[in-house]
Amino acid sequence: DAGITQSPRHKVTETGTPVTLRCHQTENHRYMYWYRQDPGHGLRLIHYSYGVKDTDKGEVSDGYSVSRSKTEDFLLTLESATSSQTSVYFCAIRKLGANTEAFFGQGTRLTVV
Amino acid sequence: GNSVTQMEGPVTLSEEAFLTINCTYTATGYPSLFWYVQYPGEGLQLLLKATKADDKGSNKGFEATYRKETTSFHLEKGSVQVSDSAVYFCALGSFSGNTGKLIFGQGTTLQVKP
């Protein structure tokens, strides 16, 4: 299995509180991604990173921020959680190259009450 | 922008039936195409991939051919098993400069009945 770990695996939080999800890799891959998975929407890209301190927005980035201060960690922060952000969040890593595949973490189930 | 469209599910088949899950894409340049599978309670894992036009990816009896003329990458399997029940995602990987977006379709749930 690719060395990718998400934490926490489950979290319940209250509306309006900040939440940070962590993705940690031991593969030294260049690219890291955050997706959310919701019924009827499949997997939607929130943010991704193509290097340390290099990030870009995906299709559903509103309400989320990210940081990547070192290669192995990619943090996703919900500045002020809302019920619409209840979802399963997946981190993925991918090494440099046009044809390389991504490896996924086990997911974080976040519930905002 | 780039996008991927999959057929809507769920797809329900009997064991040993033939499977097709349609996937079409919109992209500039020459993307790579992937099929991922997600079993209940797990993350996604790569099923197969194709990196250029007319390439055929295959794995575990599944196949998909990269068709540039129809912008399609349909997933097929000749005889499905109950253990193939899962959600299947078509994905497109492209590069622009240093970035590397990976875009997924909506996912198609497959249920195989004994």
Side-chain angles (χ1 to χ4, degrees), chain A residues 33-44:
Chain A
Y33 307 81
W34 277 109
Y35 293 90
R36 59 178 290 175
Q37 184 176 22
D38 305 288
H41 293 279
L43 226 61
R44 292 181 292 176

Side-chain angles (χ1 to χ4, degrees), chain B residues 14-34:
Chain B
S14 297
E15 206 165 24
E16 299 184 2
F18 184 85
L19 168 72
T20 300
I21 299 178
N22 290 338
C23 171
T24 56
Y25 68 91
T26 302
T28 56
Y30 303 94
S32 296
L33 299 171
F34 306 87

Side-chain angles (χ1 to χ4, degrees), chain B:
Chain B
N2 295 345
S3 65
V4 176
T5 302
Q6 287 181 238
M7 64 185 288
E8 296 217 7
V11 174
T12 302
L13 296 173
S14 297
E15 206 165 24
E16 299 184 2
F18 184 85
L19 168 72
T20 300
I21 299 178
N22 290 338
C23 171
T24 56
Y25 68 91
T26 302
T28 56
Y30 303 94
S32 296
L33 299 171
F34 306 87
W35 276 102
Y36 283 82
V37 59
Q38 183 182 33
Y39 298 104
E42 299 184 9
L44 280 72
Q45 53 187 279
L46 180 70
L47 181 59
L48 53 84
K49 69 178 183 181
T51 59
K52 61 182 185 297
D54 299 325
D55 264 4
K56 177 186 282 188
S58 62
N59 185 26
K60 299 181 182 178
F62 291 89
E63 293 183 340
T65 301
Y66 188 158
R67 301 282 188 203
K68 193 167 177 63
E69 65 276 13
T70 55
T71 62
S72 65
F73 192 54
H74 304 322
L75 182 68
E76 296 181 336
K77 187 175 185 183
S79 176
V80 294
Q81 306 300 313
V82 172
S83 57
D84 293 326
S85 297
V87 182
Y88 292 82
F89 291 90
C90 186
L92 179 154
S94 63
F95 282 77
S96 174
N98 283 324
T99 65
K101 276 190 176 181
L102 192 58
I103 304 297
F104 285 81
Q106 309 93 305
T108 301
T109 299
L110 171 65
Q111 183 178 24
V112 181
K113 296 187 173 180

